[in-house]
Amino acid sequence: MIASSKRSPLTYLVHATVLFLVVIWTIPTAGLFISSIRDKDQLSVSGWWTALSTSEQRIVDRANGPSAQAQEGDLFVIRGNLLTNSSAKVTKFGFSSLEPEAFSAGDLAEMRKGQTLQVMPNGDYALSSPTEWKGSRGQRIFYTAEVPPRFTLDNYREVLSAEGLGQSFLNSLTVTIPATIIPILVAAFAAYALAWMRFPGRALLVAAVVGLLVVPLQMSLIPLLKSYNLIGEFFGVGSKTYVGIWLAHTGFGLPLAIYLLRNYIAGLPGEIIESARVDGASDFDIFRKIILPLSFPALASFAIFQFLWVWNDLLIAMVFLGNNEEHLVLTGQLRELLGSRGGNWEILTASAFITIIVPLCVFFSLQRYLVRGLLAGSVK
Amino acid sequence: MADVKLTHVKKIYSNKVEVLKDINLDIKKGEFIVFVGPSGCGKSTLLRMISGLEEISAGTLEIDGQVVNDIPPALRGIAMVFQSYALYPHMSVYDNMAFSLQIAKVSKESIDQQVRKAAEMLQLTPYLDRLPKALSGGQRQRVAIGRAIVRRPKVFLFDEPLSNLDAALRVATRMEIANLKDTMPDSTMIYVTHDQVEAMTLADRIVLLSAGNIEQVGSPLELYEHPANVFVAKFIGSPAMNVVPCRIEKTGEQTHVSLSSSITVETPIVTEASEQAKAAFFGVRPEDLLVVATEAEGFLSGKVTFVESLGEATLLYLTVPGCEDMIIAKQAGTLKTQRGDTVHLSALPEKMHLFDDKEVSYRR
Amino acid sequence: MAQLASALVTMLLGVLGCAVYFYGSNVLLDKVFPTKSGPAQKVARNLRISNTIRPWLFLGPAVLLLTFYLFYPVIDSIRLSFFDRSGDEFVGISNYVWLFNSDEFFESFRNNMLWLIVVPTAATFFGLIIATMTDRIWWGNIAKSLIFMPMAISFIGASVIWKFIYDFRSGDDAQIGLLNAIVVFFGGEPQNWITIPFWNNFFLMIILIWIQTGFAMVILSAALRGIPDETIEAAVLDGANGVQIFFKIMVPQIWGTIAVVWTTITILVLKVFDIVLAMTNGQWDTQVLANQMFDWMFRGGGDFGRGAVVAIVIMVLVIPIMIWNIKRANAEMEGR
Ligand SMILES: Nc1ncnc2c1ncn2[C@@H]1O[C@H](COP(=O)(O)OP(=O)(O)OP(=O)(O)O)[C@@H](O)[C@H]1O
Ligand SMILES: [Mg+2]
């Protein structure tokens, strides 16, 4: 490329711009991740970018009721601790909602009739009174606490068990793995036939595949749903089955799969295939022993594609697998949560992260193949 | 081990182009046949038709007296070596050589024995476990040849097997192929090349093709000494034969032709009286032209426009008054001749060639 | 555990069934018409037969699946668009009449056009810029990888991510959405972004741009690298500056690839509905065709005829791209 080793101001500008863009592109995901491991109380009151700084919380609590009082000398005293989180620190406190921060931690606050309240920074409080405490409810205490950052996996624990995400995770796997492997097999055979076998109608089929590449799959949904209902009735199994969704994903993934693989397989040197033919190999031998091993990069790249696509799909899963608990895949579950728990960010962020973690791992470990496949399909 | 016979063989591709027109050829058992010809003349097509990779549009192909038009490649008793080696990149050298036997379900021991024997013969034993990408070009080509040998074919087919090698390796591998031929005197070999040297050194007989036709079939020396037409004359030999238009002045035992108003040549070629005054072509090879001291000794004089010193020989490019094309003369050793000098040339009469107006040789 | 086991068994059965078909059918063909030994004439005949049959063994499943899942539905959608809500009674063009009189359709059509203009343009533009710049810095590959990453995230996952960015808290509460936090930091008024009509479309588009830029970048970067160095060196010698080289030498040489990227994203835009569904479900004037169709088909609507009409509009929009694609593929085949 253009000589760029010179340290010109332009080079710094490029570095800065790229850095800026990279930050913009990664921040949304980073925010989601950080939020998902924050304490849920903190998550809902402060932005995730403050996750590392200490937050101030204003809290109202009730002291223990009169039943807990003990007589110390001639005073009746109620003792206890306000903080559940041991690393937090009380800074201010008060006993009326008008002045919630009237006193600093450690001060002795004079209440009515000689009663006093003292709250220590560690949350210990003491209410004392010259007369016996009456009634059933405890005194209200207003305090401001400084809570240090806290990270936890509780959110994950919760969504995986209580919100049914664990089950969905398995459902997603059950859908995704066969829906990745079956189209590869079907497409590889078809691609070989379209690239190297001679039969009437070949050119027409190739054109058809290219044409179907752009058909919006929404078009197919109504007719397919009708057919599925018929077929399901016929076999008495209902219309929403795993086999049904595997085949649906296979059908929808095939045009791209055949297109990519055919491009690749047609690019293999013809002499190798002819040589095998002279060696006595049938087309089936050639396919198994020569084409499959040699097309590994293309197969891998399509596999990644299809895996991401199926794992991330919502539409087909909604239509062909339905919304009932037992079949819900991760994306469907996430959408349900988005509807029912729209404001519970601790649930949403953790769930979203669980749905994207598998594709992200696949993506980062196999990116090289993915890129190669994309290029085989697009740059000619 | 087998005769190969082509009768009225044609190839027409789907786009209606007739790539090969009526090929008749009889190849004897144990012969080394070389197909040469300019690029695109149909050499590979012809070879691939013999191999069975390309369908035969018309005519018959017989191997060992049996018509094999419809027989698949694997059952024709042929083996083919491709220009790009066509090794299976994901298999070791051993597996490459064993592949055809495995497909044929030959027993393991017998595969092993044959592969090792072939490897021994081609000095490939140390490389048997390697993948093709870990071999040099020459070694790869030897593996390709080994793969062919293992099948014990009746007919070996080679499609430009050396053209991907560098010059030195090409010479070495060429000699290996010649050796191979000696160790397997019964195998018929058909070899495609566009390199004349390969053709001349390897062939028992050369088949010269041009635009889908056979121009001439014969031993290398026959083609060199008695080209059947101008095309063959110009194709064989380097630099190409000087061929200039001329007019027949006198027919009979000795034919006299005039190259221009001032140049007349006597040739010992016999022509009929009916040829009198016809246009014709006179040919003489550059290496058959001799520089002589005086005009009287030679039959041509010309001005040197260009000198190429190759070391072992010198090429003189001459403009001869009355001739359109430059005449090339090839002289052994180095000469003192310089650009602008006038030189006189002679040639032995029996080295002269004469072609009629249809470019066909008068020597028949 | 039982769930895991049954999942494993179903997966295995599904994959095995497919493998067994291919293996079995081909072995059977070889058994019925042996071609590896026997008398030559018989082999020749068997070979002809098996060469005629085998392509269809290879292609069979693919052709069947393509026909059932894509080809037949397209035809049937066209039929359904002339029928009533349950698909039983012929109603002529009344679904079309309804469509062209429906405000919602024009709203989604307008929005779709916006999406079609903005998303492919922006994604291709950013992709090109980033590809050019990352090619010149040593950590370019890391940068690319990070920008490419959203590609692995589902639309619905991306929607959650961005919903979190657009989050809005009323009153004096601290904003936990990044966008509003920034606005507040600079002294602005926080907004509920996804409910601001018209502009909210753009906030949704940003999500798709965020996802697709990486795709554009990867492909354009390969195309840029494919440009022969000589052309650029010649331009440098001719005295062109960086910007001129970029626009006058490099971009024209990769027009073909830019077109491919553009059309690929365009098709995607027409199909995308997850984002709208998850972010607004078409409220606040953000409806798009794909989501509208889904509404009519499966939710409240439940009207197959009207759903099919919207599907056909989408189809008509992609037909030019389809024709262009086929032409390109044909030209490529000729070139081989
Ligand atoms: N599949 C085909 N369809 C149509 N024409 C073809 C096809 N294959 C080859 N040809 C044409 O047939 C002619 C002969 O090709 P062939 O490969 O036999 O040439 P060749 O003599 O081997 O040339 P080279 O020395 O370059 O290898 C060429 O003109 C070529 O264009
Ligand atoms: Mg050739």
Side-chain angles (χ1 to χ4, degrees):
Chain A
M1 294 246 98
I2 308 167
S4 58
S5 45
K6 280 178 295 170
R7 293 268 151 191
S8 66
L10 196 68
T11 322
Y12 290 116
L13 188 67
V14 169
H15 279 279
T17 319
V18 174
L19 188 65
F20 176 71
L21 288 168
V22 166
V23 167
I24 290 192
W25 249 261
T26 39
I27 266 194
T29 322
L32 180 87
F33 174 65
I34 295 172
S35 300
S36 73
I37 55 170
R38 288 183 76 201
D39 190 72
K40 81 177 175 197
D41 298 328
Q42 299 187 6
L43 173 60
S44 54
V45 296
S46 61
W48 55 267
W49 51 93
T50 62
L52 280 179
S53 60
T54 303
S55 69
E56 277 204 340
Q57 292 179 6
R58 290 178 178 183
I59 301 166
V60 189
D61 207 346
R62 265 183 202 282
N64 293 329
S67 56
Q69 61 187 303
Q71 195 165 12
E72 296 178 9
D74 48 3
L75 294 177
F76 295 90
V77 184
I78 301 175
R79 291 184 189 280
N81 192 305
L82 293 168
L83 298 174
T84 42
N85 179 345
S86 59
S87 50
K89 211 176 110 214
V90 174
T91 50
K92 304 259 174 58
F93 71 95
F95 51 83
S96 105
S97 59
L98 297 175
E99 289 177 297
E101 298 193 333
F103 306 92
S104 298
D107 289 357
L108 191 68
E110 297 273 349
M111 302 198 300
R112 288 155 291 147
K113 297 185 255 165
Q115 295 174 339
T116 59
L117 168 64
Q118 187 177 29
V119 181
M120 307 307 288
N122 69 0
D124 286 343
Y125 63 89
L127 279 163
S128 65
S129 163
T131 57
E132 197 172 338
W133 295 92
K134 297 250 171 55
S136 58
R137 297 213 293 165
Q139 168 72 34
R140 282 206 297 173
I141 303 177
F142 300 83
Y143 65 96
T144 304
E146 275 180 357
V147 185
R150 205 167 93 85
F151 295 104
T152 161
L153 291 177
D154 286 349
N155 301 336
Y156 286 94
R157 234 166 265 137
E158 176 169 357
V159 294
L160 279 178
S161 52
E163 303 290 341
L165 235 64
Q167 165 84 41
S168 298
F169 195 90
L170 277 181
N171 292 345
S172 271
L173 274 183
T174 314
V175 169
T176 309
I177 291 174
T180 304
I181 298 175
I182 296 174
I184 290 184
L185 266 177
V186 172
F189 275 96
Y192 172 74
L194 291 177
W196 290 107
M197 290 167 100
R198 291 179 201 166
F199 57 92
R202 192 172 81 158
L204 194 74
L205 272 178
V206 175
V209 167
V210 176
L212 291 177
L213 212 48
V214 300
V215 169
L217 62 87
Q218 281 97 339
M219 281 214 78
S220 311
L221 297 181
I222 302 174
L224 281 179
L225 208 60
K226 293 183 137 196
S227 315
Y228 266 51
N229 285 333
L230 281 182
I231 295 170
E233 232 166 74
F234 183 78
F235 287 109
V237 291
S239 57
K240 321 235 155 167
T241 59
Y242 279 118
V243 177
I245 194 172
W246 293 338
L247 291 179
H249 274 302
T250 305
F252 297 133
L254 269 184
L256 182 70
I258 298 179
Y259 179 71
L260 280 183
L261 294 179
R262 198 200 79 95
N263 272 354
Y264 187 90
I265 291 175
L268 293 175
E271 291 195 342
I272 289 183
I273 290 154
E274 292 183 331
S275 173
R277 212 159 264 167
V278 172
D279 278 347
S282 71
D283 279 306
F284 188 55
D285 295 326
I286 296 178
F287 180 81
R288 271 187 315 152
K289 297 188 175 149
I290 314 274
I291 301 289
L292 273 190
L294 291 186
S295 324
F296 177 74
L299 296 175
S301 92
F302 174 74
I304 300 166
F305 246 125
Q306 179 77 359
F307 182 90
L308 293 180
W309 161 250
V310 175
W311 185 275
N312 288 339
D313 157 78
L314 173 65
L315 180 59
I316 299 177
M318 270 166 68
V319 175
F320 292 107
L321 213 48
N323 286 340
N324 65 337
E325 193 69 355
E326 146 199 25
H327 277 154
L328 208 54
V329 293
L330 277 178
T331 45
Q333 183 72 260
L334 186 57
R335 195 187 88 83
E336 297 269 296
L337 291 177
L338 205 51
S340 64
R341 315 286 298 260
N344 296 37
W345 282 111
E346 75 279 3
I347 306 255
L348 282 180
T349 52
S351 312
F353 201 75
I354 287 173
T355 67
I356 66 177
I357 184 71
V358 172
L360 280 187
C361 290
V362 168
F363 174 83
F364 278 115
S365 52
L366 302 173
Q367 197 181 19
R368 209 158 20 109
Y369 289 111
L370 184 66
V371 170
R372 221 183 286 175
L374 277 176
L375 298 182
S378 315
V379 182
K380 274 276 139 178
Chain B
M1 273 179 269
D3 296 341
V4 177
K5 191 169 175 203
L6 296 99
T7 351
H8 301 301
V9 166
K10 284 186 188 175
K11 179 71 194 178
I12 300 163
Y13 275 115
S14 49
N15 55 1
K16 304 279 186 302
V17 179
E18 200 170 30
V19 173
L20 289 170
K21 308 158 191 164
D22 197 31
I23 302 290
N24 291 291
L25 191 61
D26 222 334
I27 299 170
K28 294 273 163 319
K29 164 179 163 181
E31 245 187 329
F32 199 120
I33 291 283
V34 174
F35 293 168
V36 282
S39 189
C41 68
K43 310 179 291 282
S44 299
T45 307
L46 187 54
L47 194 76
R48 290 160 55 81
M49 279 161 65
I50 297 174
S51 75
L53 288 172
E54 207 76 68
E55 236 169 273
I56 298 171
S57 312
T60 55
L61 167 68
E62 290 166 49
I63 297 181
D64 253 354
Q66 192 197 7
V67 177
V68 294
N69 285 30
D70 294 332
I71 309 287
L75 301 181
R76 288 188 183 191
I78 52 114
M80 186 146 170
V81 177
F82 293 85
Q83 172 177 3
S84 63
Y85 325 124
L87 300 182
Y88 310 126
H90 58 297
M91 296 185 194
S92 67
V93 169
Y94 185 97
D95 288 333
N96 260 284
M97 301 215 279
F99 185 73
S100 62
L101 300 178
Q102 283 163 356
I103 292 277
K105 303 229 157 66
V106 175
S107 75
K108 271 220 163 67
E109 301 81 64
S110 138
I111 293 180
D112 192 63
Q113 193 194 338
Q114 286 181 61
V115 169
R116 292 198 184 277
K117 202 172 111 196
E120 196 66 37
M121 202 159 136
L122 296 162
Q123 293 126 45
L124 284 170
T125 315
Y127 310 112
L128 280 177
D129 291 329
R130 290 205 197 166
L131 287 180
K133 65 170 182 246
L135 298 178
S136 71
Q139 287 162 346
R140 285 181 208 182
Q141 194 52 280
R142 291 214 300 271
V143 175
I145 293 172
R147 204 165 59 175
I149 292 176
V150 164
R151 309 189 53 212
R152 301 203 203 142
K154 295 186 270 190
V155 184
F156 279 93
L157 306 174
F158 297 90
D159 193 353
E160 309 201 22
L162 306 186
S163 54
N164 278 2
L165 304 180
D166 66 35
L169 249 156
R170 202 178 292 189
V171 174
T173 317
R174 194 171 76 207
M175 276 159 49
E176 249 169 67
I177 291 178
N179 276 339
L180 185 71
K181 178 74 195 108
D182 289 342
T183 52
M184 294 188 290
D186 284 342
S187 305
T188 312
M189 300 204 172
I190 306 179
Y191 187 105
V192 166
T193 179
H194 54 236
D195 182 306
Q196 283 186 40
V197 183
E198 273 172 41
M200 302 295 277
T201 52
L202 288 172
D204 293 327
R205 281 197 298 159
I206 291 178
V207 176
L208 206 158
L209 292 160
S210 139
N213 287 310
I214 295 186
E215 296 289 343
Q216 190 172 1
V217 181
S219 72
L221 282 186
E222 256 167 58
L223 264 68
Y224 181 79
E225 284 169 357
H226 303 295
N229 53 41
V230 172
F231 182 84
V232 180
K234 285 198 153 182
F235 192 85
I236 303 283
S238 168
M241 182 188 281
N242 298 301
V243 177
V244 291
C246 62
R247 213 176 89 101
I248 297 184
E249 301 294 345
K250 174 170 167 288
T251 58
E253 289 292 302
Q254 296 268 322
T255 307
H256 294 202
V257 296
S258 58
L259 307 189
S260 70
S261 52
S262 56
I263 307 171
T264 313
V265 191
E266 267 184 59
T267 67
I269 297 165
V270 186
T271 46
E272 305 282 323
S274 58
E275 304 293 311
Q276 179 67 31
K278 275 198 176 161
F281 295 92
F282 170 79
V284 61
R285 293 197 182 275
E287 53 272 35
D288 292 336
L289 287 169
L290 290 172
V291 175
V292 288
T294 61
E295 195 169 357
E297 288 171 71
F299 70 97
L300 259 183
S301 301
K303 203 161 153 197
V304 176
T305 53
F306 197 62
V307 181
E308 276 181 355
S309 294
L310 305 177
E312 93 278 11
T314 307
L315 298 183
L316 303 176
Y317 292 77
L318 313 175
T319 36
V320 176
C323 285
E324 270 191 19
D325 296 325
M326 263 192 221
I327 301 287
I328 305 172
K330 185 176 179 182
Q331 305 298 308
T334 46
L335 295 187
K336 293 233 168 56
T337 320
Q338 283 185 347
R339 178 189 294 201
D341 293 353
T342 299
V343 295
H344 314 293
L345 299 170
S346 80
L348 293 174
E350 63 268 26
K351 301 274 185 188
M352 293 177 180
H353 305 265
L354 195 58
F355 307 94
D356 66 15
D357 53 352
K358 305 230 163 38
E359 303 197 343
V360 177
S361 174
Y362 279 112
R363 277 192 222 259
R364 266 162 255 201
Chain C
M1 213 53 226
Q3 148 85 14
L4 189 65
S6 86
L8 272 177
V9 170
T10 3
M11 282 190 246
L12 217 64
L13 281 182
V15 172
L16 270 185
C18 181
V20 163
Y21 160 77
F22 281 112
Y23 195 82
S25 66
N26 278 285
V27 167
L28 189 71
L29 184 70
D30 285 339
K31 281 262 143 51
V32 177
F33 300 106
T35 53
K36 296 213 170 131
S37 54
Q41 290 317 314
K42 191 145 179 254
V43 166
R45 191 185 63 105
N46 284 350
L47 194 78
R48 244 196 327 276
I49 297 174
S50 71
N51 275 351
T52 331
I53 297 178
R54 205 185 306 267
W56 300 107
L57 290 185
F58 278 36
L59 279 166
V63 170
L64 283 182
L65 286 166
L66 287 177
T67 313
F68 182 68
Y69 282 95
L70 291 167
F71 189 69
Y72 151 76
V74 169
I75 307 294
D76 202 46
S77 287
I78 296 175
R79 186 186 67 83
L80 278 174
S81 71
F82 294 103
F83 281 73
D84 71 346
R85 54 184 304 123
S86 57
D88 297 329
E89 204 173 315
F90 184 76
V91 293
I93 59 164
S94 71
N95 286 325
Y96 291 85
V97 172
W98 160 80
L99 185 74
F100 289 108
N101 287 317
S102 126
D103 287 342
E104 198 193 6
F105 168 70
F106 283 102
E107 177 198 319
S108 20
F109 194 80
R110 181 204 69 181
N111 289 343
N112 253 96
M113 285 299 138
L114 273 180
W115 280 75
L116 281 182
I117 294 167
V118 175
V119 175
T121 315
T124 313
F125 175 78
F126 281 120
L128 188 58
I129 298 291
I130 296 173
T132 321
M133 290 196 297
T134 47
D135 274 347
R136 300 187 196 185
I137 53 179
W138 58 266
W139 51 286
N141 278 340
I142 302 170
K144 272 189 203 161
S145 181
L146 287 173
I147 287 176
F148 195 27
M149 176 197 67
M151 171 111 187
I153 296 177
S154 60
F155 291 136
I156 189 92
S159 301
V160 172
I161 291 177
W162 283 86
K163 210 166 186 171
F164 194 44
I165 297 232
Y166 296 147
D167 187 77
F168 167 70
R169 295 284 156 110
S170 55
D172 282 342
D173 289 359
Q175 297 293 338
I176 66 167
L178 185 59
L179 186 57
N180 274 323
I182 292 172
V183 168
V184 170
F185 180 79
F186 286 105
E189 268 300 299
Q191 303 282 338
N192 194 357
W193 303 103
I194 55 173
T195 59
I196 309 170
F198 190 70
W199 299 109
N200 51 6
N201 281 307
F202 293 93
F203 290 112
L204 303 196
M205 289 179 208
I206 286 176
I207 303 174
L208 194 54
I209 298 171
W210 178 71
I211 294 176
Q212 286 300 313
T213 297
F215 163 79
M217 171 200 71
V218 164
I219 291 181
L220 292 172
S221 148
L224 284 174
R225 265 188 237 149
I227 295 177
D229 280 354
E230 290 82 11
T231 58
I232 293 164
E233 281 156 10
V236 172
L237 291 180
D238 286 344
N241 65 30
V243 176
Q244 286 170 326
I245 289 176
F246 182 70
F247 284 108
K248 300 213 167 126
I249 310 291
M250 289 161 73
V251 171
Q253 292 195 61
I254 56 168
W255 258 138
T257 313
I258 292 180
V260 170
V261 169
W262 194 293
T263 49
T264 311
I265 301 180
T266 303
I267 294 169
L268 189 82
V269 168
L270 277 172
K271 295 189 199 171
V272 87
F273 94 118
D274 319 36
I275 294 178
V276 175
L277 176 73
M279 296 294 284
T280 63
N281 197 8
Q283 289 168 280
W284 306 296
D285 294 354
T286 54
Q287 188 65 295
V288 292
L289 291 174
N291 193 50
Q292 190 188 4
M293 189 200 70
F294 194 76
D295 264 346
W296 277 106
M297 255 183 336
F298 297 108
R299 285 197 302 259
D303 187 327
F304 283 3
R306 292 185 174 178
V309 170
V310 183
I312 282 172
V313 172
I314 301 179
M315 185 72 204
V316 167
L317 288 176
V318 296
I319 280 180
I321 301 175
M322 180 152 123
I323 293 173
W324 183 76
N325 251 357
I326 294 180
K327 282 214 175 117
R328 203 170 57 94
N330 276 348
E332 226 163 65
M333 289 241 285
E334 309 262 296
R336 264 199 227 297

